[in-house]
Amino acid sequence: FRNKEIFAKLLNNLRCMFCTSSYTWWEARIWESFWEDALESCAKVITMINALFLLLLLTFQAVPQNSQDEPLDGPNRIFHDDLLDNLQGQWTLKGMIAGHPGDAELDATWVLNHQFLRVHEKGKAVIPGRPLYEADVYIGYDNASERYVAHWIDIYGGRFSETLGYGTRSGNSIRFVFEYPDGPFHNTFTWDPASKGWRFLLEKKNDAGKWGIFSDRTAVKIK
């Protein structure tokens, strides 16, 4: 330890000084003992400072990186959305789908580490020749791209579930765009704070390139 070597050299120099000075033997021993104690105390203080510095260094390295260094998306970036919070719970849907009654029940809850709002829809209106409609919709948010993402899985099967919906918010509405194999859809979720209900407007582009209403339904909360 280098500090001890320095102190030992200094102590030897002092001993030589005492031996060649006019001090008596016992006075020299007293001074020598004093300097030995002083130098030993200094060595302890410096050792403690070195240990404290090392401890602070290790503590600094152990501190987690601040939130600015966290990735934009991942398990530590929980999805909180004040608008979609209003969709939690159970609802009754009423309205029309492609000219047919589109009554259904909705159940929405946060799932998967609060990364998605899962909306389960189960149809109530029977359309001749078709099974009752049912779907699971997972709505999340892509922080890097600053847009909503909707995974729409329903009775139409895997090919149609390959298409993701990307949404943008404007006020109390989120409009999702789905580029389906048979043409694009716009699905707009609108919250009405006054009635505390939702409107779900689904628009489809026809073969002539014009947009028309495919479905228009409102939701009333059950609980």
Side-chain angles (χ1 to χ4, degrees):
F1 186 69
R2 182 163 179 77
N3 290 333
K4 290 185 178 180
E5 294 177 359
I6 295 173
F7 292 141
K9 290 180 180 179
L10 180 58
L11 184 58
N12 288 332
N13 291 336
L14 289 172
R15 285 171 177 168
C16 293
M17 181 185 70
F18 289 136
C19 292
T20 57
S21 67
S22 59
Y23 289 111
T24 63
W25 178 86
W26 65 270
E27 287 176 328
R29 289 298 301 163
I30 291 174
W31 277 109
E32 183 179 357
S33 177
F34 167 78
W35 281 108
E36 284 180 346
D37 292 341
L39 293 174
E40 184 178 355
S41 297
C42 288
K44 289 181 178 179
V45 170
I46 293 177
T47 300
M48 291 177 61
I49 292 175
N50 289 337
L52 180 60
F53 176 77
L54 180 60
L55 179 61
L56 290 175
L57 181 61
L58 293 175
T59 302
F60 176 78
Q61 291 177 344
V63 173
Q65 295 181 340
N66 58 41
S67 58
Q68 294 179 349
D69 296 327
E70 288 283 349
L72 289 175
D73 294 282
N76 294 328
R77 291 283 183 171
I78 306 302
F79 177 34
H80 294 287
D81 191 271
D82 61 325
L83 181 57
L84 289 178
D85 278 342
N86 297 305
L87 190 51
Q88 294 181 89
Q90 297 179 4
W91 304 78
T92 294
L93 270 177
K94 290 186 177 298
M96 304 296 289
I97 299 178
H100 300 282
D103 295 358
E105 295 179 348
L106 286 184
D107 187 1
T109 185
W110 290 104
V111 296
L112 300 176
N113 190 36
H114 213 287
Q115 296 287 5
F116 292 93
L117 182 71
R118 181 182 64 198
V119 182
H120 179 73
E121 176 180 345
K122 189 173 182 62
K124 295 171 61 179
V126 177
I127 300 176
R130 296 185 184 179
L132 283 176
Y133 184 76
E134 190 170 4
D136 277 318
V137 184
Y138 289 83
I139 303 173
Y141 194 80
D142 181 346
N143 291 288
S145 299
E146 298 182 342
R147 62 186 180 183
Y148 293 86
V149 180
H151 301 255
W152 204 290
I153 306 168
D154 61 15
I155 63 171
Y156 282 87
R159 178 169 176 78
F160 290 92
S161 68
E162 293 175 1
T163 303
L164 294 178
Y166 298 108
T168 55
R169 177 175 173 176
S170 177
N172 288 324
S173 294
I174 302 174
R175 190 182 77 163
F176 293 94
V177 177
F178 292 83
E179 296 288 345
Y180 284 119
D182 61 346
F185 274 77
H186 289 171
N187 199 337
T188 305
F189 294 19
T190 301
W191 167 247
D192 182 3
S195 65
K196 296 189 181 301
W198 285 87
R199 182 189 182 193
F200 301 99
L201 178 64
L202 185 58
E203 299 169 289
K204 181 181 180 181
K205 182 180 286 189
N206 60 25
D207 295 336
K210 295 183 179 181
W211 289 95
I213 296 177
F214 180 80
S215 172
D216 191 358
R217 299 182 295 173
T218 56
V220 177
K221 195 167 189 178
I222 302 174
K223 62 179 180 178

